C-alpha cells in the first residue's frame, strides 16, 4: 500500500514481473477491494499466480517506526512480513516507509544468530560493474564489530551477483593505515585477521566508483550521505545535460541524436533508484524499493528478491556467519 | 613545490593569474634555481609583481603530517605559511599534502580564539549556485560544538560569495528532528538557539545538490566521503558519456555536436577540482588546491585566495565568533 506513488504503480509493476517470469507467484497485501480492482485486467491463467492477502491498515511514509510497530497490528507491511515468517512467502518487497519496514522486519523476522542489527545494502553502479554499499542508513552509529558483520553480509550479497570471491573494503578518508576514526581502524584489524574474507583495505569515495572493491562497508550515516548525494548529483547532471541540449540550434540537434543515449545512461546510473535495497541479517528476505523509484524501480526490487530467493541468501549468510563470526576475537573495546 | 604535477604547472598557473589580475603580487616559495628557470619567460614589468622565496626542502605527497612538522623546518609549505604569519603575504596557496598543510597551518598560524580545530571547506556546484560543504576531512570525529563552529565558518565563507544571509543546514540521514546521531542532534539544538545564524534544519545528501542550503555542515569523515564519491561519480559519468558518444555512427555525430557542451558541463560540475578548498578558523588565509586539479584548478585556488583577502575572511570570522560563540551555552556533554 506504500511508496510515493501508492498501490496502483506497485500493482502495475507486479503484473509486469508476473508476465515476465513464469515461475513467479505474487501475493499482494493490502486493502482487498482496491487490489482486486487493480488486478482486474489479468488473464485467468496469470491470475492463478497472483493472490491477495487482506490488511486493513497502511503505514504512512512519515510515520514513526515505533508508532507503526505499536499501533498498527494489521498494516500491509506487517502482514507481508508475517507471510514470510510463516513460510507462506519467500520474500517481502515494499516501497513504503524505510524505518518502519526495518523495525517491523526485526520484530517479525528476527535477526540471524550473531547479527546485532540488520544492514541495508544496495548495488551501486560503478566503473565496471556494481559495488554492494552498506550500511545505507539503518545504523547511524556502528561499532567495529558491526562493520565486520556488514562486511560478511555484503560479501554474501556480492556472491548472489556471481562474484565468487568479492573484494571487501572499508570506506575511509584515506587509504593509509593511520587514517580514519577508531571504529574503522579497529574494523580493519578484525577484517585483516579474518580467514575466508577477501579484505582489500580502505577505499575512498572515488575508489567506490572506480570499482576498487565489490563490497564497500561504512556506517549508516556515511553510507546514506554517499548514496543520497550520489543520487542528487546524478539527477543534477541529468537536468544540466537536458538544459544544455536546449541551449541553441546545434545543441538541440545534438540533443535529438543524444537523447536515447542519455536515457540509457540515466537508467544505468541512477544509483539505488534502479535497484532495490536489501535488508541483510534477517531470518528472511526483505527488499526495499526506492520510494520514488517508479514502476521500473519496483520491478527491479522484485527481481532482486527473486535473485536472493534463488541464492538462498539468509541461509547462505547463516552459514558464513557460523564460519566467520567465532573468529572475530575482540569483544567491544577489547 | 607540491601537487601531483609538481612546480612547473603551479608556476604556469601563477603566471596566468598574474597576467589576468594586475593588482596581484605573487611569491613563489621553493628551490630558487628551479623557480627562476620556470619564470624566465616573464616580461620585466610582470616580473616586478613576482618574487621568489627560498626553501630548501619539500614535503612529499605521502609524508606523514607529524613528520613534516618535526623534521622539515625549511619546507616550501612551512616557509610560505611563515610569510603569511609575518605579514609578508596575505594568503598561502598550496597544491601539496593536505594533512601536512593542515598540521603546519595550525602550528604556524594558530587558530582563531574560540576555534578548536580548523575546518576544510569547498564550494560545491549545486542545482543553482554553490554550497559551502564542511568539514571535508580535517576532523573525522566532531563534537556538537565543533559542528556549530563549522556552521559559523561556513556562513562567513558563503558571505564572501555574496550571500548576505546564508542558509545553514546540518547534513543528516533524514530531515525529521529525531534522525541522526547524538552529535548532529545536539548541534541542531545549538544552531536553533543561536541568534544571528540562519539555520534551516537538516538536509540529506540529495538536498545538498538541490540547493536546499548555502552551507552544509558535517563531520570530516562524512564530508570527505560525500566530496570524493561525488568526484568519483562525476568522472564516471563523464567517461560513460564519452564512451556513449563513440558507440555508433549517429552517436559519433551527436558527440561531435555535443562535445563542447559536455566540456563546459564537466568544468562546471567537477566538484572541488574546479575550486580550491579553504582552511577556515586560522589566523590567516590558507587555500588548498586539489592535488590533481591541473592548471585551471590551481588558478581557481589563487582566485579563491584573492576573494578571501578582499573579504578579509579571518577578521570577519573573528568578529562573527565573538558575536556567536559566547551564546553557545552548553559545554561538551552539557
Amino acid at each position: 500500500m506504500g511508496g510515493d506513488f501508492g498501490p496502483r504503480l506497485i500493482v502495475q509493476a507486479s503484473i509486469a514481473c508476473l508476465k515476465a517470469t513464469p515461475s513467479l507467484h505474487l501475493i499482494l497485501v493490502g486493502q482487498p477491494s482496491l487490489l482486486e480492482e487493480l488486478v482486474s485486467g489479468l488473464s485467468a491463467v496469470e491470475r492463478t499466480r497472483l493472490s491477495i492477502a487482506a490488511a486493513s491498515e497502511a503505514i504512512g511514509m512519515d510515520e514513526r517506526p515505533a508508532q507503526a510497530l505499536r499501533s498498527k497490528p494489521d498494516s500491509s507491511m506487517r502482514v507481508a512480513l508475517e507471510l514470510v515468517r510463516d513460510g507462506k512467502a519467500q520474500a517481502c518487497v515494499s516501497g513504503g516507509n524505510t524505518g518502519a519496514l526495518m523495525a517491523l522486519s526485526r520484530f517479525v523476522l528476527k535477526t540471524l544468530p550473531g547479527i546485532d542489527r540488520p544492514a541495508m545494502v544496495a548495488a551501486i553502479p560503478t566503473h565496471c560493474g556494481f559495488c554492494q554499499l552498506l550500511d545505507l542508513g539503518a545504523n547511524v552509529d556502528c561499532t567495529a564489530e558491526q562493520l565486520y558483520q556488514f562486511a560478511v553480509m555484503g560479501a554474501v550479497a556480492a556472491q548472489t551477483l556471481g562474484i565468487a570471491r568479492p573484494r571487501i573494503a572499508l570506506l575511509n578518508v584515506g587509504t593509509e593505515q593511520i587514517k580514519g576514526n577508531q571504529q574503522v581502524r579497529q574494523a580493519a584489524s578484525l577484517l585483516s585477521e579474518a580467514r575466508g574474507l577477501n579484505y582489500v583495505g580502505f577505499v575512498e569515495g572515488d575508489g567506490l566508483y572506480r570499482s576498487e572493491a565489490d563490497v564497500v562497508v561504512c556506517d549508516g550515516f556515511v553510507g546514506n550521505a554517499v548514496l543520497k548525494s550520489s543520487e542528487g548529483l546524478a539527477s543534477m547532471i541529468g537536468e544540466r545535460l537536458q538544459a544544455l541540449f536546449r541551449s541553441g540550434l546545434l545543441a538541440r540537434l545534438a540533443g535529438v541524436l543524444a537523447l536515447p543515449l542519455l536515457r540509457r545512461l540515466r537508467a544505468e546510473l541512477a544509483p539505488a533508484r534502479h535497484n532495490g535495497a536489501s535488508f541483510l541479517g534477517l531470518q528472511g528476505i526483505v527488499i526495499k524499493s526506492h520510494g520514488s523509484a517508479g514502476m521500473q524501480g519496483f520491478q527491479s526490487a522484485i527481481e532482486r528478491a527473486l535473485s536472493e530467493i534463488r541464492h538462498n541468501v539468509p541461509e547462505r549468510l547463516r552459514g558464513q556467519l557460523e564460519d566467520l563470526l567465532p573468529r572475530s576475537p575482540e569483544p567491544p573495546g577489547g
Side-chain angles (χ1 to χ4, degrees), chain A:
Chain A
M1 299 298 288
D4 292 356
F5 304 109
R8 184 171 300 272
L9 184 133
I10 290 175
V11 172
Q12 279 175 5
S14 303
I15 291 174
C17 280
L18 207 64
K19 292 188 175 177
T21 310
S23 63
L24 178 65
H25 288 248
L26 286 174
I27 309 169
L28 301 176
V29 186
Q31 200 191 307
S33 58
L34 174 66
L35 296 176
E36 284 292 358
E37 187 196 315
L38 292 175
V39 301
S40 58
L42 266 187
S43 73
V45 178
E46 283 157 357
R47 192 64 177 76
T48 59
R49 292 192 284 120
L50 185 138
S51 53
I52 287 169
S56 61
E57 296 165 317
I59 294 168
M61 290 305 272
D62 297 322
E63 217 161 311
R64 287 202 180 194
Q67 202 186 332
L69 198 60
R70 271 198 311 270
S71 68
K72 291 199 172 162
D74 198 39
S75 68
S76 54
M77 210 180 255
R78 184 162 185 159
V79 172
L81 289 164
E82 287 168 350
L83 289 172
V84 175
R85 180 197 63 195
D86 300 340
K88 291 174 185 158
Q90 288 172 280
C92 165
V93 180
S94 168
N97 181 323
T98 310
L101 184 62
M102 179 55 89
L104 281 166
S105 298
R106 286 181 70 190
F107 181 77
V108 173
L109 297 177
K110 315 295 179 206
T111 54
L112 287 166
I115 293 291
D116 298 334
R117 287 177 57 91
M120 195 171 160
V121 63
I124 309 292
T126 64
H127 185 70
C128 43
F130 288 90
C131 165
Q132 306 288 330
L133 178 66
L134 75 167
D135 175 54
L136 296 178
N139 311 280
V140 289
D141 287 309
C142 294
T143 62
E145 287 71 25
Q146 282 176 304
L147 295 174
Y148 177 85
Q149 292 167 15
F150 296 170
V152 178
M153 300 186 207
V156 170
Q159 283 164 353
T160 68
L161 288 182
I163 298 165
R165 202 168 146 65
R167 295 162 302 154
I168 299 167
L170 286 163
L171 188 64
N172 202 350
V173 297
T175 53
E176 305 86 2
Q177 259 194 327
I178 53 153
K179 292 282 179 140
N181 56 29
Q182 211 197 328
Q183 304 89 282
V184 166
R185 284 197 302 264
Q186 205 185 326
S189 84
L190 291 178
L191 285 165
S192 306
E193 287 159 17
R195 278 178 292 171
L197 286 180
N198 183 15
Y199 173 63
V200 297
F202 295 139
V203 297
E204 298 182 67
D206 48 348
L208 191 164
Y209 284 104
R210 274 203 304 268
S211 308
E212 287 176 6
D214 305 303
V215 177
V216 170
V217 172
C218 56
D219 72 43
F221 198 111
V222 174
N224 191 277
V226 165
L227 178 72
K228 289 194 178 152
S229 60
S230 292
E231 288 175 354
L233 177 60
S235 359
M236 183 179 85
I237 293 178
E239 284 162 25
R240 293 262 191 127
L241 277 171
Q242 286 193 334
L244 266 188
F245 286 123
R246 271 187 248 110
S247 62
L249 200 65
L250 267 181
R252 271 173 204 273
L253 179 56
V256 170
L257 296 171
L259 207 63
L261 301 172
L262 294 178
R263 257 197 226 113
R264 187 173 9 135
L265 187 68
R266 201 170 207 175
E268 279 171 26
L269 290 184
R273 254 164 240 283
H274 192 58
N275 314 295
S278 175
F279 289 179
L280 291 177
L282 293 162
Q283 301 189 28
I285 297 168
V286 180
I287 308 293
K288 168 68 175 64
S289 165
H290 202 296
S292 62
M295 189 166 147
Q296 179 57 48
F298 205 82
Q299 281 180 251
S300 301
I302 295 175
E303 281 154 24
R304 177 146 194 157
L306 280 168
S307 160
E308 294 205 1
I309 292 168
R310 269 187 226 111
H311 289 87
N312 205 352
V313 166
E315 277 313 301
R316 189 190 277 239
L317 187 49
R318 187 195 293 269
Q320 289 265 330
L321 290 168
E322 278 168 12
D323 288 351
L324 287 163
L325 284 189
R327 287 186 198 134
S328 150
E330 297 182 64

